[in-house]
Amino acid sequence: MTKQYEGKAKVIFSTDDPMVLLTYFKDDATAYNAMKRGNIPGKGEMNCTISSHLFQYLQLNGIANHFIAQPSKREMRVQALRILPLEVVVRNIAAGSLCSQTGIEPGTNLPYPLVEFYYKRDDLGDPLLTLDRLQLLNLATSEQVNYLKSNALHINQLLGDFFGSCGLTLVDFKLEFGLNHEQQLLLGDEISPDTCRLWDQGETDADKRILDKDRFRKDLGSVLEAYEEVLTRVKTQCLRLLPVQSQSDITSG
Ligand code: UDP
């Protein structure tokens, strides 16, 4: 296998099939545009397994995505995609940059889910895009933008229901999409506590309820324990929802 690309949290390898890639999940963690760096032993396994379960759940519910199988605890076989340089963020509750950029009080329930597009450019600090800028930069066609928005809202509905039944509140999350060899636009990347804000519904304390990367961003400690808690709940819910055949595509890890 040849290394194709190494990002902040994952390494992508080519396989003998040009339409299939192997994603390896690392333990490295970054935040604030990589100004803060760390290593959380075991995080890669958690994120790979949580993502694999969630991609399977979404496929079963009609959301096309790149997941093929999880051959080991840290590896995911995926369809090769040409990833659009966009981060599609959906927010249900105000947190993070929405609060720092608008003054909305953290924890405010939004009247409707907000879909935002950010330009995936580390050198520019991943700026928020307007629809006009998206068009100006030719980042996506207007048809693709409409599809991305409606698909992101559908995913928000499905993930919100799923996490809700795990006793978790889906505060916000980031998605990435790309084109496969048939020019089909598919959901890619990962869905994990690195890319979602998740709050424990059984906990009222504003810090203790956090079960996602904000524990690392804010130096709250017990990062791996939080990810393990999410994995346990996601696995339990998937055992109830996924058919036995799908479960065999995910490692027992
Ligand atoms: N997010 C991500 N990668 C990024 C930026 C954001 O996965 O490069 C996720 C983040 O974990 C959160 C959501 O997208 O769940 C919204 O993040 P926000 O814009 O508030 O940025 P932050 O303040 O977290 O950097």
Side-chain angles (χ1 to χ4, degrees):
M1 284 186 307
T2 316
K3 192 198 278 190
Q4 275 219 334
Y5 172 80
E6 178 155 3
K8 285 174 273 190
K10 296 187 286 295
V11 188
I12 312 288
F13 295 94
S14 53
T15 68
D16 45 18
D17 182 341
M19 287 183 295
V20 175
L21 297 174
L22 192 81
T23 307
Y24 177 89
F25 285 69
K26 300 192 287 183
D27 290 335
D28 295 342
T30 61
Y32 309 117
N33 201 25
M35 303 271 281
K36 182 179 169 76
R37 286 175 184 273
N39 186 274
I40 303 158
K43 177 177 81 82
E45 293 182 16
M46 300 296 137
N47 282 351
C48 184
T49 311
I50 292 168
S51 286
S52 297
H53 281 86
L54 294 174
F55 280 133
Q56 289 266 50
Y57 162 74
L58 290 175
Q59 279 177 357
L60 267 169
N61 285 280
I63 303 291
N65 63 65
H66 70 162
F67 179 83
I68 299 171
Q70 187 192 3
S72 80
K73 288 181 179 181
R74 286 177 185 273
E75 291 172 317
M76 197 189 284
R77 275 172 72 78
V78 297
Q79 277 194 56
L81 300 183
R82 192 161 52 80
I83 294 285
L84 302 181
L86 291 176
E87 296 188 339
V88 183
V89 169
V90 185
R91 302 176 187 273
N92 299 300
I93 296 177
S97 68
L98 178 66
C99 300
S100 56
Q101 290 174 9
T102 64
I104 298 176
E105 192 63 30
T108 306
N109 281 309
L110 302 180
Y112 49 85
L114 197 63
V115 181
E116 299 177 326
F117 296 91
Y118 291 82
Y119 193 11
K120 215 169 122 67
R121 279 279 301 263
D122 284 342
D123 57 331
L124 301 176
D126 294 345
L128 177 65
L129 288 165
T130 62
L131 291 179
D132 286 339
R133 285 185 183 186
L134 256 161
Q135 213 165 20
L136 179 77
L137 294 167
N138 271 320
L139 296 176
T141 65
S142 52
E143 274 158 23
Q144 285 173 332
V145 169
N146 290 338
Y147 172 80
L148 292 173
K149 188 168 175 181
S150 65
N151 202 237
L153 286 170
H154 188 188
I155 293 167
N156 183 47
Q157 186 66 53
L158 290 167
L159 289 182
D161 288 349
F162 182 92
F163 284 124
S165 59
C166 299
L168 299 168
T169 299
L170 179 59
V171 174
D172 60 27
F173 59 99
K174 183 261 306 184
L175 301 171
E176 294 186 24
F177 293 84
L179 296 164
N180 69 6
H181 66 286
E182 290 170 328
Q183 302 305 305
Q184 234 189 325
L185 198 49
L186 297 188
L187 174 65
D189 195 48
E190 66 177 284
I191 306 174
S192 73
D194 268 12
T195 62
C196 302
R197 285 193 170 94
L198 297 165
W199 291 350
D200 185 353
Q201 291 174 353
E203 185 58 72
T204 48
D205 182 271
D207 284 344
K208 285 191 195 151
R209 69 184 173 187
I210 295 172
L211 294 178
D212 57 65
K213 198 160 98 173
D214 273 352
R215 297 207 72 81
F216 169 74
R217 291 189 186 98
K218 300 179 181 188
D219 290 321
L220 296 175
S222 306
V223 184
L224 191 71
E225 289 82 350
Y227 283 45
E228 278 169 342
E229 181 62 29
V230 172
L231 174 58
T232 302
R233 296 192 197 189
V234 165
K235 263 184 178 171
T236 307
Q237 187 59 9
C238 279
L239 279 174
R240 292 180 46 214
L241 294 179
L242 297 182
V244 176
Q245 176 51 41
S246 307
Q247 287 168 25
S248 66
D249 291 337
I250 306 178
T251 180
S252 57

